[in-house]
Amino acid sequence: MRIVGIELVDSLKVEVVVGRNILGLLGKFLANRGYGKAFLVYDRRLPREFIEEVVGGLKKAKLELCTVAVEGGEHLKTVDTVVTLWKKMFDFRLSRGDMVIGFGGGTLTDTVGFAAATYMRGIDWTVIPTTLLAMADAAIGGKTGVNFGAKNLVGAYHHPKLVVEDVKLVKTLSWEDYVSGLAEVVKHALLSSREFYQWLAENIEALRKKDLDAVEEAITKSVEYKLSIVSRDYRETKGLRMLLNLGHTIGHAIERALDYQIRHGHAISIGLIAELWASHKLLGLPVEKIGEVATLLQSLGLPTTPPREASLDRVLDFIRLDKKRRGDKLVLPLLEDIGKPKLVTLDLDEALQLLGWAYKRSLSGAKP
Ligand SMILES: NC(=O)c1ccc[n+]([C@@H]2O[C@H](COP(=O)([O-])OP(=O)(O)OC[C@H]3O[C@@H](n4cnc5c(N)ncnc54)[C@H](O)[C@@H]3O)[C@@H](O)[C@H]2O)c1
């Protein structure tokens, strides 16, 4: 078990625990810190024994407990779900000094985190991510929110006090949900360093087999990288954190164009390759690197070419609604090389032209 404790600004401290068979730890942690009530929202698709491990730990620590079961998935990320959670929090007389717990994948933790951020102007919360994507990415960094017209349009920064990452949970994930998480790991490796990227390339087989040592290492490297960025720019005001959006300008637009009938990581994988083409055009990223990354993503089981149903026109329409837009400018994270990201600000028209070209180029199967 590894503990990554990190001090963010305003004395906010997030503790991230990564290990195996650690779900029961939570009850002890909360009791030691004097929390009275726990409001646990979990994904009902989780295997019974995992739910019992968490609930058992909380009961043993003698916390007054309210449990809410929901079904994870993009359909959950709505304002309606948040209203339902607020009502249940109120009925349970949840107050400051109590704890909200989100136990599920990224869709659940984004939504529950937003309910915690807004109820009583912010109540403490804990994340127990249950998908690889949530462990490597969504649970880290305090971004919470729901979809509203565009992806993640309504949200808040609200850092959890604790993140408990039990890697054994990936064993019960479907293959598609598992590889979806690998896309965000590849994104972190591309942004972070040649070493991380090389480690991934050398561990494809182990990761495909869900070897828990490899999975734990991939998660730890991702978490450490993301925390290193978030701790320096946690409200995305200095530009640094925007780098983490690599692949997401096109990825989010594809998700929206397909009405979320594609997994987040799959859309990001396609978005990564298209945005590497944009990086080639604008920053001279060598074409061979695009082929190399496409091969890595494909070996991990991820798609790299846009689906026919996500037409260029629709994708460009949704890019116009992107949160990274600043008036008539769009801020784009691109790559000069692996481990060398750069933020570029373009006029909206120029950005749409570049991304349109890159999208069409990626349709050719990412062959140099
Ligand atoms: N907040 C952030 O910084 C951030 C970062 C990246 C992505 N996200 C968001 O994360 C979301 C995607 O999250 P996700 O990929 O975890 O999807 P998800 O929450 O929909 O989970 C995927 C599926 O796996 C099931 N599931 C969850 N854990 C399981 C387990 N251990 N065993 C078996 N089944 C399990 C769920 O019921 C669901 O059907 C997107 O909405 C994306 O926008 C947020």
Side-chain angles (χ1 to χ4, degrees), residues 188-229:
H188 285 144
L190 288 173
L191 291 167
S192 139
S193 63
R194 188 79 218 176
E195 290 72 39
F196 186 176
Y197 179 81
Q198 199 53 41
W199 179 88
L200 266 186
E202 284 163 13
N203 284 276
I204 292 171
E205 264 325 295
L207 288 169
R208 283 180 62 90
K209 283 190 207 138
K210 291 192 186 173
D211 173 277
L212 287 188
D213 287 336
V215 174
E216 186 168 339
E217 192 59 28
I219 290 171
T220 305
K221 283 179 185 298
S222 275
V223 168
E224 282 172 351
Y225 174 70
K226 187 162 180 187
L227 282 176
S228 76
I229 297 289

Side-chain angles (χ1 to χ4, degrees), residues 43 45-47 72-74 77 105-108 110 130-131 133-134 137-138 140 143 151-152 169 172-173 177 180 184 226 264:
D43 189 329
R45 287 205 186 112
L46 289 171
E74 205 62 40
K77 287 180 65 167
T107 56
L108 184 146
D110 274 9
T130 62
T131 61
L133 188 139
D137 195 351
I140 308 297
K143 275 191 185 176
K151 176 89 179 173
N152 298 334
L169 290 167
T172 56
L173 276 179
D177 285 318
S180 169
E184 298 282 17
K226 187 162 180 187
H264 180 70

Side-chain angles (χ1 to χ4, degrees), residues 33-37 95-99 123-124:
R33 282 161 178 77
Y35 288 101
K37 292 184 179 184
S95 64
R96 292 196 179 135
D98 298 328
M99 178 62 90
I123 183 165
D124 287 354

Side-chain angles (χ1 to χ4, degrees), residues 78 107 168 179 349:
T78 63
T107 56
K168 76 171 177 211
V179 298
D349 285 343

Side-chain angles (χ1 to χ4, degrees), residues 38-51:
F39 183 84
L40 171 71
V41 186
Y42 66 90
D43 189 329
R44 63 159 62 92
R45 287 205 186 112
L46 289 171
R48 203 70 237 158
E49 67 265 25
F50 297 156
I51 299 164

